[in-house]
Amino acid sequence: MAVLHLIEDDPAIRSAMIRALSDRGHVVTSSPDAMSGLQSVIDRMPDLIILDLGLPDLDGVELLRMLRAVTDTPVIIATARDDDVQVVRALDAGADDYVVKPFSAEALDARVRAVLRRSRAEEEPGPIQVGGLIVDPRSRLASLDGRSLDLAPREFDLLAYLAARPGQVVSKRDLLADVWRLPYGGTDKTVDVHLSWLRRKMGEAATEPRYLITVRGVGVKLIEPED
Ligand code: CA
């Protein structure tokens, strides 16, 4: 499932696209103009943006440049048939793909899935191994000494983040910002609770840790145990 943000001023096209993409399992939010679109993207950080180039308040390519200044989120542009020059400008400005109006729901969904697949493959590293621990961000599977770990999504994210930085002490503040995406919110308690769940599932105790080492007053690190 992905969260898509649609920036499109034509209400009929907008509702048709929202319906088509929602029917195909995506969560779709939308904005009717460039400036509210920019604000929504900053607020919501969607997985992908679908951008109409003909917007009432700002040229779509200009908006694309502004988006690229704040985020790497993939962008698919939607454009009218006679817009070849615009398409080239948009691709040069950092668009990942485009669809030409009128397009079918199937064609749009296929582009969306292809672009998401590409961006996730770039983003997610392959399996990480630390001692007997294997964490695979792409399949979201983790195992310890050959036994698979049954982790909640946030526990997996936390483990993958730490496993990608073996031996490095990470502060709880950084974990809240990067794993929970709460740069200004959350408390150490949030991290502590998830760490203790994770430890339990990995069969270790805070008093006798193997992989997950708390460094008092600093943060936590994941290490390869010596035994
Ligand atoms: Ca338009």
Side-chain angles (χ1 to χ4, degrees):
M1 187 201 71
V3 178
L4 316 181
H5 192 75
L6 170 63
I7 306 174
E8 164 68 64
D9 60 316
D10 185 315
I13 297 176
R14 194 168 63 235
S15 51
M17 285 169 80
I18 291 172
R19 199 164 47 240
L21 291 165
S22 307
D23 284 351
R24 284 164 178 78
H26 305 290
V27 174
V28 189
T29 55
S30 70
S31 310
D33 58 62
M35 294 324 289
S36 66
L38 179 62
Q39 190 58 52
S40 293
V41 167
I42 292 168
D43 292 344
R44 294 177 187 150
M45 285 295 163
D47 300 310
L48 184 142
I49 301 159
I50 302 171
L51 171 62
D52 172 30
L53 283 188
L55 293 168
D57 53 337
L58 191 68
D59 174 53
V61 177
E62 284 309 310
L63 174 59
L64 179 55
R65 292 204 180 96
M66 294 164 82
L67 288 168
R68 276 289 164 264
V70 294
T71 177
D72 292 328
T73 303
V75 175
I76 296 177
I77 54 168
T79 179
R81 195 172 285 287
D82 54 1
D83 260 354
D84 275 1
V85 176
Q86 284 285 73
V87 167
V88 172
R89 284 180 64 218
L91 292 171
D92 283 347
D96 295 82
D97 205 345
Y98 67 98
V99 285
V100 176
K101 292 177 185 176
F103 46 79
S104 67
E106 289 75 20
L108 177 61
D109 182 49
R111 296 288 171 97
V112 165
R113 282 184 287 110
V115 168
L116 283 173
R117 214 160 36 233
R118 230 157 51 212
S119 82
R120 281 175 182 164
E122 273 166 28
E123 225 168 72
E124 306 292 3
I128 304 159
Q129 179 162 15
V130 183
L133 177 70
I134 298 173
V135 183
D136 186 348
R138 287 187 199 167
S139 62
R140 296 188 64 83
L141 295 174
S143 65
L144 179 61
D145 300 330
R147 185 176 58 89
S148 78
L149 295 171
D150 181 19
L151 303 177
R154 199 69 85 184
E155 293 163 3
F156 181 88
D157 292 341
L158 176 60
L159 183 62
Y161 188 89
L162 293 169
R165 298 161 179 76
Q168 183 186 325
V169 183
V170 183
S171 73
K172 291 175 184 173
R173 188 70 262 155
D174 285 346
L175 289 170
L176 286 167
D178 295 341
V179 177
W180 276 264
R181 302 200 184 283
L182 291 170
Y184 311 108
T187 66
D188 286 3
K189 184 95 184 143
T190 310
V191 178
D192 292 340
V193 167
H194 283 80
L195 269 177
S196 84
W197 289 337
L198 199 49
R199 278 203 176 101
R200 195 174 312 156
K201 290 182 179 180
M202 292 174 67
E204 62 180 57
T207 48
E208 229 174 313
R210 295 183 67 226
Y211 285 89
L212 295 167
I213 313 293
T214 298
V215 182
R216 200 175 291 278
V218 187
V220 60
K221 66 180 173 181
L222 187 148
I223 59 156
E224 180 174 350
E226 280 167 15
D227 51 58

